[in-house]
Amino acid sequence: MPLGHALDNRFAQLCGIEVPFSFDVKRALDINVRHGDFDFLFCPLMYTGYAPNKDKALTLNRQLLPYAGVNTGVTYGQWAGLVFAKISPTWLDLDSEDENVRVNAEAILKQQIEWASYLSVKHCVLPTPDGNSCANYAKCVNQILQGLKNMESAMKLLLRIPVGMSNDDYRPLSNALVDSWETWNSFRMLCDHHSQLVVALDIKRVLPPENSLKRWFGEPVTAAILDTEIFLTKARGNTLYLPKRHQKLIADLFHLDTRIVISEIKVPTSAQSAAGSKSQPLLAYWSQVSNIYKQRDPVSEQERSEFYTRDILQPSLRPSRNYSHAISYDDHEKDLVKYLHYEIAISRALLERVPDERASVIATVLVVVGAGRGRLVHASLKAAERTGRKLRVYAVEKNPQTVIALDELIRANNWDNTVSVVSSDVRDWSAPERADILVSDFLGSFGDNELSPESLDAAQRFLEKDGISIPSSYTSFLQPLTAPKLYQEAKARKDILHSESACLVNLHNVARLTPSQQVFTFSHPKCSDNQSNQRYQKLEFRIPTDTGSAMVHGFAGYFNATLYKSVLFGTEPSTMTPNLNTWLPMFFPLRTPICVHRGSILEVHFWRCVDSRKVWYEWCVTSPSSSPIHNCNGRSCWMDL
Amino acid sequence: MPLGHALDNRFAQLCGIEVPFSFDVKRALDINVRHGDFDFLFCPLMYTGYAPNKDKALTLNRQLLPYAGVNTGVTYGQWAGLVFAKISPTWLDLDSEDENVRVNAEAILKQQIEWASYLSVKHCVLPTPDGNSCANYAKCVNQILQGLKNMESAMKLLLRIPVGMSNDDYRPLSNALVDSWETWNSFRMLCDHHSQLVVALDIKRVLPPENSLKRWFGEPVTAAILDTEIFLTKARGNTLYLPKRHQKLIADLFHLDTRIVISEIKVPTSAQSAAGSKSQPLLAYWSQVSNIYKQRDPVSEQERSEFYTRDILQPSLRPSRNYSHAISYDDHEKDLVKYLHYEIAISRALLERVPDERASVIATVLVVVGAGRGRLVHASLKAAERTGRKLRVYAVEKNPQTVIALDELIRANNWDNTVSVVSSDVRDWSAPERADILVSDFLGSFGDNELSPESLDAAQRFLEKDGISIPSSYTSFLQPLTAPKLYQEAKARKDILHSESACLVNLHNVARLTPSQQVFTFSHPKCSDNQSNQRYQKLEFRIPTDTGSAMVHGFAGYFNATLYKSVLFGTEPSTMTPNLNTWLPMFFPLRTPICVHRGSILEVHFWRCVDSRKVWYEWCVTSPSSSPIHNCNGRSCWMDL
């Protein structure tokens, strides 16, 4: 039974239970899942209760190892959906100095994965690697991953990684300790960022600092194992509870669709130990997890609508010579917050420009540059009405398809006297009179990336000297991200184009490593005609020292805009305007992810380049090590002028 | 006139002279090259004698900049062959905080390259980058490089990099100083390892430590600029000379075909300064350089024959099911040293196996496994003759084409009574009697990489219990290399196969960063049949601290073999057998080069993997950072069983 009662199955969260080895998986499923509250089992599929003999090379007789699931009526679908295989035992030493131990361990590992694959099990949890020495383990896992056939394409290998420490004398990030995130990072790099290698977090009693923990929100955390030992008992009565930080961590993991596993560490005494006999007491733990789920905020409409676009790269730059399709206008026009901000900004500008006493005399000339289907015209007219100011509006639009809808809108509303529709590129239009106010909406997710500067430069020639541009300025922002999913997506395309193209992304499974920083600012109208729209900015991001080392796969791009004086909006996370849903963040990838070690600085360079035909960005990292300069001469992504 | 009198033009070395800006390049060429001893000019093509005004943004009127070569009769071929363009002035600040200075510098840089390109100049020497801040400079150079058209494909941009310091208080590798190699390395990474970005070393008076200097031997050092200030004067008389270390450096650079430039630093006082008027005094410097050239060892026959294979990747692994062509036998059989070693080893084995008094009675059974065209049969018979021992030889060869030649050899020499030819794969052959001695030659450049272990395992079943295998053991060695040329070659193929295939290479323009270390050893006969031919080895290379940081592009592979007891040969550099020319070194590339910082350890893992159908290597780096595991499951290179 999924935790809580989600209206929408996509947001249901599942909780499993660890059970010891049993030949009879069907019975364990019956007890715990069919008749119990759990959603799946986490269990070994092979009996490996033999203790390793340290004095002697391990020589298991492979034929005799007992397998689970040989003669039971568990269906393909049940193996696939209801069983997480625990690759055991945890003492498998694939990096032993002793060649025999190593070779046997390799054989046992491969055998178990093959057995799980034969049964159609989709999730195999691998033992925790030793951070100091796991190259041979990684080699074996890599061979398994690279050798996965199409049939097994849905199988995921979950590398079990501890988070925090079991005992209380844990000093976070002391130098003697191996940072378990680094172990995971190294293992995943050895396996060449394979998308089927994911993480099972083993949540310990003492958690590392918040920043260190945050790194996991960028990783593919497919399961989180909660040992019953991390649950505490209230002084009065014996009600179970989880420490606050653990509760928060689990709630955050729900957000990533991580499955929870309740586990009670008990070494099975024999292969015959009855599976599931311990399950009843674990229900109390289940309730705790279920409570955390129930306390979450309900899933918003926006979350629902964005579900399928999570972490998917979408091409970003719209060359201006391609006209948008109706569908994109439909989407953008839904953004009530955006147009309300425009209306307020225009209102303020009108009030300041025309004093009350002259309101009935002066008609303000307002040019909507890129009028689309008239939403900004409408906002302007509403502002005029709200302020009692007179307007003469020119609605300039170059997309001939949109002009049809624009014309229709104006006729239908009887705005003919106030609004003139101009079907022209703003660069070619000879304005019959100078404008007091320019209103435009060329802002992209990264501010200037839809050629707002160039479009407004063209419009400036018919703006009064003291005229106003709405927006009057905008600034782009960047933030380094851990985003292995996005990296894998780009890498799968195997070409340089996808590895250095800026994209739009609904960022979800990413870790934001530092606050964002300002990049480029443009103000309108410009002081001087000669002012170039080229820009160059060097940024230094300092990753908090309690984060530890971190992997940077690229940069999120945001913007903030000043429409008029104090009327602002934007997508920069620390100041973002709620419910402003026109813009997804940008993502500027790195061709090769860069590891930034604890305390070192990430130095990044961004350029906005302009030539006679196009505008593009280039970017690179110069510290802690130098990357290639991305998108040289705009070869992979650009905007046509 | 090329330095010295090389018999072979390929080995001629050229020495140029720096001259100040002049409109009349023809005259300068006449004085220095046509009527002088120099081979080419190094000169600015644009007058940039204006001093930069630090208080004011630099605003050059671009139309008015004077160019060299506008109206002179210098031909296309002369521009291409006899002129190195000096991109000037050196104070071009492409990373200025002042946007105007930066933008102007970019324009001046691009203008000069375009002018040089228009004239067909093939070498442009770029000003020295500032190690602390050169990202924007790199961006401009990268744009130029990536934008080079086919016509300009022969143009090289030489980044001028100082080596050492001019003054005497230079403390090598002190932390405050930027290591100029690191500046170069960072610049080249920013430019994505472009093959047309090369180095012009600016040799200073005080040279860095030997290990630090050595790194340059792996780099594309196309020119070395010798300021006249680094020449010293002998106490008595005024004979010029160069310090010993400088002499050695120049001799080593000759080996890399680096062109020398003699330069006298004088800031030109006006655009009209007569070019070349200073050339006569520089002849004394030329003589010094010429002397160094003349003192070199003469170019050996082997150097000549290997000239065209320098640093070229050649596929290495020969799947055993493909038979070699006659040409490869021709090459290998030329190796007199190799066969002499075999003859001596067989002689010793015969002497020890058969006491003098029984020499006429006992016939030793000797099986040549993989007899090829009979060179080892011949060596065996010579050993028998030399020691007065009797032999019964079986020459087993599976290549049916070679057997024809082998048969012919035996008939022609009347060896029919002693030698039986067996046309069979050794794995299929039923030996009529047990062998006392196995002689084989399956050694590859990396020892076991031509399946020697597997072939000798098959032969061991008909070897006497106390029988001898020649070779009796062999060990492979690895050594980390800086080898950007090899990296560029593999990268140019743009596929994973070439970036992780072991190759044979005549290593030339590479830096060997540490001594080599042992990897895998195989001994024959084996003690136990069950002993696997799989191997795993972890290696830790410690790059000397006075090297500074270094780039690792891959690993050279060598081998040493014990033929019999003290009869050894091999290619491992510190112990290599002179004139053993069958084997080129192996090269195991890294998909992405790894930068090892000063004092840190390079931890490498190598595997020899075996399955039922093939043998292959996998390798990875785990420190200072983790690489992917290369050649997983032998997907890119392997040997068929």
Side-chain angles (χ1 to χ4, degrees), chain A residues 136 143 186 189-190 192 591 607 618 626-629 633, chain B residues 136 143 186 189-190 192 591 607 618 626 628-629 633:
Chain A
N136 195 53
Q143 286 183 338
S186 165
M189 294 215 288
L190 289 167
D192 205 10
R591 273 162 56 187
W607 290 268
E618 298 191 15
S626 292
S627 73
I629 297 170
N633 292 328
Chain B
N136 195 52
Q143 287 183 337
S186 165
M189 295 215 289
L190 289 168
D192 205 11
R591 273 161 58 186
W607 290 268
E618 299 192 16
S626 292
I629 296 170
N633 292 328

PDB file of all heavy atoms in Angstrom, chain A residues 136 143 186 189-190 192 591 607 618 626-629 633, chain B residues 136 143 186 189-190 192 591 607 618 626 628-629 633:
ATOM      1  N   ASN A 136      38.829  -2.533  -8.417  1.00  0.00           N
ATOM      2  CA  ASN A 136      38.492  -3.815  -9.024  1.00  0.00           C
ATOM      3  C   ASN A 136      36.989  -4.083  -8.921  1.00  0.00           C
ATOM      4  O   ASN A 136      36.383  -4.624  -9.843  1.00  0.00           O
ATOM      5  CB  ASN A 136      39.293  -4.946  -8.360  1.00  0.00           C
ATOM      6  CG  ASN A 136      39.253  -6.206  -9.193  1.00  0.00           C
ATOM      7  OD1 ASN A 136      39.573  -6.185 -10.378  1.00  0.00           O
ATOM      8  ND2 ASN A 136      38.822  -7.308  -8.585  1.00  0.00           N
ATOM      9  N   GLN A 143      31.866  -3.820 -16.047  1.00  0.00           N
ATOM     10  CA  GLN A 143      31.716  -4.881 -17.049  1.00  0.00           C
ATOM     11  C   GLN A 143      30.265  -5.363 -17.103  1.00  0.00           C
ATOM     12  O   GLN A 143      29.721  -5.591 -18.180  1.00  0.00           O
ATOM     13  CB  GLN A 143      32.651  -6.050 -16.722  1.00  0.00           C
ATOM     14  CG  GLN A 143      34.119  -5.740 -17.037  1.00  0.00           C
ATOM     15  CD  GLN A 143      35.046  -6.923 -16.772  1.00  0.00           C
ATOM     16  OE1 GLN A 143      34.714  -7.818 -16.006  1.00  0.00           O
ATOM     17  NE2 GLN A 143      36.208  -6.907 -17.407  1.00  0.00           N
ATOM     18  N   SER A 186      33.732   8.677  -7.321  1.00  0.00           N
ATOM     19  CA  SER A 186      34.835   7.992  -7.970  1.00  0.00           C
ATOM     20  C   SER A 186      34.327   6.725  -8.668  1.00  0.00           C
ATOM     21  O   SER A 186      34.682   6.436  -9.812  1.00  0.00           O
ATOM     22  CB  SER A 186      35.876   7.680  -6.901  1.00  0.00           C
ATOM     23  OG  SER A 186      36.789   6.759  -7.365  1.00  0.00           O
ATOM     24  N   MET A 189      32.508   7.589 -11.806  1.00  0.00           N
ATOM     25  CA  MET A 189      33.397   8.021 -12.878  1.00  0.00           C
ATOM     26  C   MET A 189      34.097   6.816 -13.493  1.00  0.00           C
ATOM     27  O   MET A 189      34.260   6.738 -14.709  1.00  0.00           O
ATOM     28  CB  MET A 189      34.412   9.026 -12.362  1.00  0.00           C
ATOM     29  CG  MET A 189      33.739  10.323 -11.916  1.00  0.00           C
ATOM     30  SD  MET A 189      34.733  11.774 -12.251  1.00  0.00           S
ATOM     31  CE  MET A 189      35.992  11.576 -11.042  1.00  0.00           C
ATOM     32  N   LEU A 190      34.532   5.887 -12.642  1.00  0.00           N
ATOM     33  CA  LEU A 190      35.155   4.664 -13.165  1.00  0.00           C
ATOM     34  C   LEU A 190      34.176   3.936 -14.096  1.00  0.00           C
ATOM     35  O   LEU A 190      34.582   3.372 -15.103  1.00  0.00           O
ATOM     36  CB  LEU A 190      35.590   3.751 -12.011  1.00  0.00           C
ATOM     37  CG  LEU A 190      36.795   4.262 -11.207  1.00  0.00           C
ATOM     38  CD1 LEU A 190      36.962   3.476  -9.917  1.00  0.00           C
ATOM     39  CD2 LEU A 190      38.083   4.177 -12.036  1.00  0.00           C
ATOM     40  N   ASP A 192      32.108   5.318 -15.949  1.00  0.00           N
ATOM     41  CA  ASP A 192      31.823   6.215 -17.070  1.00  0.00           C
ATOM     42  C   ASP A 192      30.407   6.778 -17.035  1.00  0.00           C
ATOM     43  O   ASP A 192      29.745   6.858 -18.071  1.00  0.00           O
ATOM     44  CB  ASP A 192      32.075   5.462 -18.387  1.00  0.00           C
ATOM     45  CG  ASP A 192      32.398   6.430 -19.515  1.00  0.00           C
ATOM     46  OD1 ASP A 192      32.604   7.626 -19.240  1.00  0.00           O
ATOM     47  OD2 ASP A 192      32.443   5.991 -20.680  1.00  0.00           O
ATOM     48  N   ARG A 591      31.263  20.097 -21.001  1.00  0.00           N
ATOM     49  CA  ARG A 591      31.484  18.889 -21.803  1.00  0.00           C
ATOM     50  C   ARG A 591      31.984  17.753 -20.933  1.00  0.00           C
ATOM     51  O   ARG A 591      31.586  16.615 -21.096  1.00  0.00           O
ATOM     52  CB  ARG A 591      32.471  19.180 -22.937  1.00  0.00           C
ATOM     53  CG  ARG A 591      31.744  19.713 -24.150  1.00  0.00           C
ATOM     54  CD  ARG A 591      32.644  20.408 -25.126  1.00  0.00           C
ATOM     55  NE  ARG A 591      33.741  19.583 -25.588  1.00  0.00           N
ATOM     56  CZ  ARG A 591      34.734  20.023 -26.339  1.00  0.00           C
ATOM     57  NH1 ARG A 591      34.761  21.289 -26.698  1.00  0.00           N
ATOM     58  NH2 ARG A 591      35.676  19.233 -26.734  1.00  0.00           N
ATOM     59  N   TRP A 607      31.042  34.614 -21.912  1.00  0.00           N
ATOM     60  CA  TRP A 607      31.079  35.665 -22.920  1.00  0.00           C
ATOM     61  C   TRP A 607      29.737  35.709 -23.655  1.00  0.00           C
ATOM     62  O   TRP A 607      29.158  34.654 -23.954  1.00  0.00           O
ATOM     63  CB  TRP A 607      32.156  35.383 -23.971  1.00  0.00           C
ATOM     64  CG  TRP A 607      33.554  35.509 -23.506  1.00  0.00           C
ATOM     65  CD1 TRP A 607      34.346  36.622 -23.564  1.00  0.00           C
ATOM     66  CD2 TRP A 607      34.384  34.471 -22.944  1.00  0.00           C
ATOM     67  NE1 TRP A 607      35.592  36.349 -23.064  1.00  0.00           N
ATOM     68  CE2 TRP A 607      35.660  35.044 -22.682  1.00  0.00           C
ATOM     69  CE3 TRP A 607      34.193  33.134 -22.635  1.00  0.00           C
ATOM     70  CZ2 TRP A 607      36.711  34.309 -22.132  1.00  0.00           C
ATOM     71  CZ3 TRP A 607      35.234  32.403 -22.085  1.00  0.00           C
ATOM     72  CH2 TRP A 607      36.475  32.991 -21.835  1.00  0.00           C
ATOM     73  N   GLU A 618      29.849  31.921 -25.124  1.00  0.00           N
ATOM     74  CA  GLU A 618      30.917  30.957 -24.931  1.00  0.00           C
ATOM     75  C   GLU A 618      31.170  30.908 -23.434  1.00  0.00           C
ATOM     76  O   GLU A 618      30.919  31.878 -22.726  1.00  0.00           O
ATOM     77  CB  GLU A 618      32.188  31.375 -25.685  1.00  0.00           C
ATOM     78  CG  GLU A 618      31.970  31.457 -27.193  1.00  0.00           C
ATOM     79  CD  GLU A 618      33.256  31.605 -28.014  1.00  0.00           C
ATOM     80  OE1 GLU A 618      34.357  31.364 -27.464  1.00  0.00           O
ATOM     81  OE2 GLU A 618      33.156  31.971 -29.190  1.00  0.00           O
ATOM     82  N   SER A 626      41.324  23.737 -16.105  1.00  0.00           N
ATOM     83  CA  SER A 626      40.783  24.415 -17.274  1.00  0.00           C
ATOM     84  C   SER A 626      39.962  23.459 -18.127  1.00  0.00           C
ATOM     85  O   SER A 626      40.418  22.367 -18.459  1.00  0.00           O
ATOM     86  CB  SER A 626      41.908  25.000 -18.114  1.00  0.00           C
ATOM     87  OG  SER A 626      42.521  26.055 -17.428  1.00  0.00           O
ATOM     88  N   SER A 627      38.791  23.904 -18.486  1.00  0.00           N
ATOM     89  CA  SER A 627      37.964  23.165 -19.436  1.00  0.00           C
ATOM     90  C   SER A 627      38.259  23.721 -20.819  1.00  0.00           C
ATOM     91  O   SER A 627      38.873  24.772 -20.943  1.00  0.00           O
ATOM     92  CB  SER A 627      36.493  23.399 -19.118  1.00  0.00           C
ATOM     93  OG  SER A 627      36.123  24.709 -19.492  1.00  0.00           O
ATOM     94  N   PRO A 628      37.811  23.060 -21.891  1.00  0.00           N
ATOM     95  CA  PRO A 628      37.849  23.753 -23.183  1.00  0.00           C
ATOM     96  C   PRO A 628      36.871  24.931 -23.148  1.00  0.00           C
ATOM     97  O   PRO A 628      35.951  24.946 -22.324  1.00  0.00           O
ATOM     98  CB  PRO A 628      37.368  22.698 -24.186  1.00  0.00           C
ATOM     99  CG  PRO A 628      36.930  21.513 -23.419  1.00  0.00           C
ATOM    100  CD  PRO A 628      37.285  21.692 -21.981  1.00  0.00           C
ATOM    101  N   ILE A 629      37.070  25.889 -24.027  1.00  0.00           N
ATOM    102  CA  ILE A 629      36.091  26.963 -24.162  1.00  0.00           C
ATOM    103  C   ILE A 629      34.936  26.392 -24.980  1.00  0.00           C
ATOM    104  O   ILE A 629      35.136  25.864 -26.068  1.00  0.00           O
ATOM    105  CB  ILE A 629      36.716  28.205 -24.828  1.00  0.00           C
ATOM    106  CG1 ILE A 629      37.836  28.756 -23.921  1.00  0.00           C
ATOM    107  CG2 ILE A 629      35.658  29.256 -25.092  1.00  0.00           C
ATOM    108  CD1 ILE A 629      38.690  29.816 -24.555  1.00  0.00           C
ATOM    109  N   ASN A 633      32.866  30.247 -31.378  1.00  0.00           N
ATOM    110  CA  ASN A 633      32.256  30.852 -32.565  1.00  0.00           C
ATOM    111  C   ASN A 633      30.784  30.469 -32.728  1.00  0.00           C
ATOM    112  O   ASN A 633      30.241  30.519 -33.830  1.00  0.00           O
ATOM    113  CB  ASN A 633      33.032  30.486 -33.843  1.00  0.00           C
ATOM    114  CG  ASN A 633      34.412  31.134 -33.884  1.00  0.00           C
ATOM    115  OD1 ASN A 633      34.586  32.236 -33.362  1.00  0.00           O
ATOM    116  ND2 ASN A 633      35.374  30.471 -34.466  1.00  0.00           N
TER     117      ASN A 633
ATOM    118  N   ASN B 136      40.448  35.352 -21.548  1.00  0.00           N
ATOM    119  CA  ASN B 136      39.916  36.058 -22.712  1.00  0.00           C
ATOM    120  C   ASN B 136      40.887  35.977 -23.892  1.00  0.00           C
ATOM    121  O   ASN B 136      40.465  35.858 -25.048  1.00  0.00           O
ATOM    122  CB  ASN B 136      39.624  37.515 -22.360  1.00  0.00           C
ATOM    123  CG  ASN B 136      38.741  38.175 -23.399  1.00  0.00           C
ATOM    124  OD1 ASN B 136      37.686  37.648 -23.745  1.00  0.00           O
ATOM    125  ND2 ASN B 136      39.197  39.305 -23.931  1.00  0.00           N
ATOM    126  N   GLN B 143      39.005  31.124 -30.942  1.00  0.00           N
ATOM    127  CA  GLN B 143      38.107  31.495 -32.049  1.00  0.00           C
ATOM    128  C   GLN B 143      38.872  31.519 -33.367  1.00  0.00           C
ATOM    129  O   GLN B 143      38.369  31.074 -34.396  1.00  0.00           O
ATOM    130  CB  GLN B 143      37.468  32.855 -31.782  1.00  0.00           C
ATOM    131  CG  GLN B 143      36.388  32.805 -30.696  1.00  0.00           C
ATOM    132  CD  GLN B 143      35.707  34.137 -30.469  1.00  0.00           C
ATOM    133  OE1 GLN B 143      36.268  35.188 -30.776  1.00  0.00           O
ATOM    134  NE2 GLN B 143      34.508  34.101 -29.906  1.00  0.00           N
ATOM    135  N   SER B 186      47.194  25.211 -19.376  1.00  0.00           N
ATOM    136  CA  SER B 186      45.850  25.744 -19.207  1.00  0.00           C
ATOM    137  C   SER B 186      45.351  26.354 -20.522  1.00  0.00           C
ATOM    138  O   SER B 186      44.217  26.142 -20.940  1.00  0.00           O
ATOM    139  CB  SER B 186      45.898  26.771 -18.082  1.00  0.00           C
ATOM    140  OG  SER B 186      44.761  27.556 -18.083  1.00  0.00           O
ATOM    141  N   MET B 189      44.416  23.681 -22.944  1.00  0.00           N
ATOM    142  CA  MET B 189      43.161  23.014 -22.592  1.00  0.00           C
ATOM    143  C   MET B 189      41.976  23.901 -22.953  1.00  0.00           C
ATOM    144  O   MET B 189      40.967  23.423 -23.445  1.00  0.00           O
ATOM    145  CB  MET B 189      43.145  22.652 -21.121  1.00  0.00           C
ATOM    146  CG  MET B 189      44.214  21.611 -20.796  1.00  0.00           C
ATOM    147  SD  MET B 189      43.706  20.460 -19.532  1.00  0.00           S
ATOM    148  CE  MET B 189      43.738  21.499 -18.128  1.00  0.00           C
ATOM    149  N   LEU B 190      42.118  25.194 -22.689  1.00  0.00           N
ATOM    150  CA  LEU B 190      41.048  26.122 -23.066  1.00  0.00           C
ATOM    151  C   LEU B 190      40.804  26.061 -24.570  1.00  0.00           C
ATOM    152  O   LEU B 190      39.674  26.170 -25.032  1.00  0.00           O
ATOM    153  CB  LEU B 190      41.395  27.556 -22.631  1.00  0.00           C
ATOM    154  CG  LEU B 190      41.341  27.797 -21.111  1.00  0.00           C
ATOM    155  CD1 LEU B 190      41.983  29.129 -20.753  1.00  0.00           C
ATOM    156  CD2 LEU B 190      39.902  27.767 -20.614  1.00  0.00           C
ATOM    157  N   ASP B 192      41.093  23.499 -26.314  1.00  0.00           N
ATOM    158  CA  ASP B 192      40.659  22.137 -26.641  1.00  0.00           C
ATOM    159  C   ASP B 192      41.730  21.342 -27.396  1.00  0.00           C
ATOM    160  O   ASP B 192      41.417  20.621 -28.335  1.00  0.00           O
ATOM    161  CB  ASP B 192      39.355  22.212 -27.455  1.00  0.00           C
ATOM    162  CG  ASP B 192      38.536  20.933 -27.313  1.00  0.00           C
ATOM    163  OD1 ASP B 192      38.885  20.112 -26.439  1.00  0.00           O
ATOM    164  OD2 ASP B 192      37.577  20.766 -28.076  1.00  0.00           O
ATOM    165  N   ARG B 591      41.461   8.396 -22.259  1.00  0.00           N
ATOM    166  CA  ARG B 591      40.438   9.089 -23.056  1.00  0.00           C
ATOM    167  C   ARG B 591      40.487  10.586 -22.809  1.00  0.00           C
ATOM    168  O   ARG B 591      40.340  11.381 -23.735  1.00  0.00           O
ATOM    169  CB  ARG B 591      39.044   8.540 -22.741  1.00  0.00           C
ATOM    170  CG  ARG B 591      38.734   7.334 -23.605  1.00  0.00           C
ATOM    171  CD  ARG B 591      37.626   6.484 -23.052  1.00  0.00           C
ATOM    172  NE  ARG B 591      36.393   7.237 -22.886  1.00  0.00           N
ATOM    173  CZ  ARG B 591      35.310   6.742 -22.307  1.00  0.00           C
ATOM    174  NH1 ARG B 591      35.311   5.514 -21.852  1.00  0.00           N
ATOM    175  NH2 ARG B 591      34.238   7.469 -22.187  1.00  0.00           N
ATOM    176  N   TRP B 607      44.368  -4.299 -15.840  1.00  0.00           N
ATOM    177  CA  TRP B 607      43.851  -5.672 -15.800  1.00  0.00           C
ATOM    178  C   TRP B 607      44.173  -6.383 -17.115  1.00  0.00           C
ATOM    179  O   TRP B 607      44.080  -5.781 -18.184  1.00  0.00           O
ATOM    180  CB  TRP B 607      42.333  -5.681 -15.650  1.00  0.00           C
ATOM    181  CG  TRP B 607      41.804  -5.234 -14.339  1.00  0.00           C
ATOM    182  CD1 TRP B 607      41.524  -6.006 -13.257  1.00  0.00           C
ATOM    183  CD2 TRP B 607      41.448  -3.883 -13.957  1.00  0.00           C
ATOM    184  NE1 TRP B 607      41.026  -5.250 -12.238  1.00  0.00           N
ATOM    185  CE2 TRP B 607      40.972  -3.943 -12.638  1.00  0.00           C
ATOM    186  CE3 TRP B 607      41.492  -2.647 -14.602  1.00  0.00           C
ATOM    187  CZ2 TRP B 607      40.528  -2.813 -11.941  1.00  0.00           C
ATOM    188  CZ3 TRP B 607      41.062  -1.529 -13.920  1.00  0.00           C
ATOM    189  CH2 TRP B 607      40.586  -1.607 -12.608  1.00  0.00           C
ATOM    190  N   GLU B 618      42.155  -3.883 -19.571  1.00  0.00           N
ATOM    191  CA  GLU B 618      41.374  -2.718 -19.160  1.00  0.00           C
ATOM    192  C   GLU B 618      42.287  -1.886 -18.266  1.00  0.00           C
ATOM    193  O   GLU B 618      43.209  -2.430 -17.650  1.00  0.00           O
ATOM    194  CB  GLU B 618      40.108  -3.133 -18.394  1.00  0.00           C
ATOM    195  CG  GLU B 618      39.176  -3.995 -19.231  1.00  0.00           C
ATOM    196  CD  GLU B 618      37.787  -4.201 -18.619  1.00  0.00           C
ATOM    197  OE1 GLU B 618      37.409  -3.447 -17.685  1.00  0.00           O
ATOM    198  OE2 GLU B 618      37.088  -5.109 -19.083  1.00  0.00           O
ATOM    199  N   SER B 626      39.507  10.109 -10.770  1.00  0.00           N
ATOM    200  CA  SER B 626      39.147   8.846 -11.405  1.00  0.00           C
ATOM    201  C   SER B 626      38.808   9.044 -12.869  1.00  0.00           C
ATOM    202  O   SER B 626      38.038   9.929 -13.230  1.00  0.00           O
ATOM    203  CB  SER B 626      37.954   8.221 -10.695  1.00  0.00           C
ATOM    204  OG  SER B 626      38.330   7.810  -9.410  1.00  0.00           O
ATOM    205  N   PRO B 628      37.347   7.050 -16.445  1.00  0.00           N
ATOM    206  CA  PRO B 628      36.539   5.860 -16.702  1.00  0.00           C
ATOM    207  C   PRO B 628      37.460   4.639 -16.830  1.00  0.00           C
ATOM    208  O   PRO B 628      38.653   4.792 -17.105  1.00  0.00           O
ATOM    209  CB  PRO B 628      35.857   6.147 -18.042  1.00  0.00           C
ATOM    210  CG  PRO B 628      36.398   7.414 -18.561  1.00  0.00           C
ATOM    211  CD  PRO B 628      37.293   8.024 -17.541  1.00  0.00           C
ATOM    212  N   ILE B 629      36.926   3.453 -16.654  1.00  0.00           N
ATOM    213  CA  ILE B 629      37.700   2.246 -16.921  1.00  0.00           C
ATOM    214  C   ILE B 629      37.700   2.055 -18.436  1.00  0.00           C
ATOM    215  O   ILE B 629      36.643   2.037 -19.064  1.00  0.00           O
ATOM    216  CB  ILE B 629      37.094   1.034 -16.184  1.00  0.00           C
ATOM    217  CG1 ILE B 629      37.190   1.276 -14.668  1.00  0.00           C
ATOM    218  CG2 ILE B 629      37.827  -0.238 -16.575  1.00  0.00           C
ATOM    219  CD1 ILE B 629      36.442   0.287 -13.832  1.00  0.00           C
ATOM    220  N   ASN B 633      35.236  -4.765 -21.168  1.00  0.00           N
ATOM    221  CA  ASN B 633      34.904  -5.995 -21.897  1.00  0.00           C
ATOM    222  C   ASN B 633      35.637  -6.101 -23.241  1.00  0.00           C
ATOM    223  O   ASN B 633      35.192  -6.799 -24.142  1.00  0.00           O
ATOM    224  CB  ASN B 633      33.383  -6.113 -22.126  1.00  0.00           C
ATOM    225  CG  ASN B 633      32.628  -6.339 -20.828  1.00  0.00           C
ATOM    226  OD1 ASN B 633      33.156  -6.976 -19.913  1.00  0.00           O
ATOM    227  ND2 ASN B 633      31.426  -5.808 -20.721  1.00  0.00           N
TER     228      ASN B 633
END
